[in-house]
Amino acid sequence: MRFTCGTGDAMGMNMVSKGVQNVLDFLRSDFPDMDIIGISGNYCSDKKPAAVNWIEGRGKSVVCEAVIGEDVVKKVLKTTVPALIELNTLKNLTGSAIAGSLGGFNAHASNIVSAIYIATGQDPAQNVESSHCITMMEAVNNGRDLHISVTMPSIEVGTVGGGTQLASQSACLNLLGVKGASKDSPGSNSRLLATIVSGSVLAGELSLMSALAAGQLVKSHMKYNRSSRDISKINGS
């Protein structure tokens, strides 16, 4: 049995647990010999990669798409539309399929999801299913421009409760314009946060895939992600 509930701007797991407990108490009144082994049977499925989340969704299901002009692909991303499409097919689709990936048909969605979750007071462990993502690329406008999309069926976010009340995390939510509960349209703040997550993932996919297609990944890491100082000659602890 899998319960589906509207939880407003809260991520809602505690709310659902309370509701399910009441359902179980009600059922027990009709079936007194019923044994309740545990309130969760893992069919939810929380903090674990699961096909049920990939297929049915959990939390917010979001599709984000964009068209990137040919000139931007060449001048800014330093690659070409055909090169990006071929890489996406061979890496994110074929490679992930050969590896037996579940919801991992992307370059690095979890990097972006984890960063935003920590910054905005979400449950970092829910990065597992929230990072389920398939990245698609195709040529449009007579093959000149790039259409990119990310489909993320199980983004679990909230703008009230839990870590969202911490000072730094609350400030980040306020910066994004999604802090707290929406009184006019309950649930709209958490839905907007989910779209922000998805849009950020799309940008991250475009960035990393372009670096890979242009052969710049390792060179960039060596230039920007390594200290130029010889630490063996630095005294002190």
Side-chain angles (χ1 to χ4, degrees), residues 57-183:
R58 188 169 194 258
K60 312 291 188 290
S61 297
V62 185
V63 178
C64 182
E65 60 183 346
V67 175
I68 312 299
E70 180 184 30
D71 57 335
V72 174
V73 173
K74 289 182 177 179
K75 295 177 182 178
V76 179
L77 302 177
K78 304 296 191 292
T79 184
T80 65
V81 172
L84 279 171
I85 294 172
E86 181 180 31
L87 176 62
N88 188 69
T89 300
L90 295 177
K91 172 183 168 64
N92 288 341
L93 304 183
T94 306
S96 294
I98 292 173
S101 178
L102 176 58
F105 298 89
N106 59 82
H108 69 146
S110 62
N111 274 334
I112 285 79
V113 173
S114 295
I116 296 178
Y117 273 30
I118 293 170
T120 59
Q122 311 305 309
D123 186 341
Q126 289 184 324
N127 165 65
V128 175
E129 61 268 36
S130 295
S131 294
H132 279 354
C133 171
I134 183 167
T135 301
M136 301 291 290
M137 297 185 189
E138 62 179 342
V140 293
N141 301 326
N142 295 318
R144 295 192 308 272
D145 304 327
L146 176 75
H147 178 274
I148 177 174
S149 69
V150 293
T151 300
M152 305 180 70
S154 49
I155 299 177
E156 298 161 345
V157 290
T159 56
V160 295
T164 65
Q165 302 171 84
L166 298 172
S168 297
Q169 283 69 16
S170 178
C172 284
L173 289 169
N174 191 47
L175 186 69
L176 296 172
V178 296
K179 179 182 175 181
S182 172
K183 296 180 180 179

Side-chain angles (χ1 to χ4, degrees), residues 1-20:
M1 189 179 294
R2 197 170 191 243
F3 287 81
T4 303
C5 313
T7 57
D9 284 303
M11 189 273 143
M13 275 194 64
N14 291 336
M15 297 170 69
V16 174
S17 294
K18 292 176 184 176
V20 171

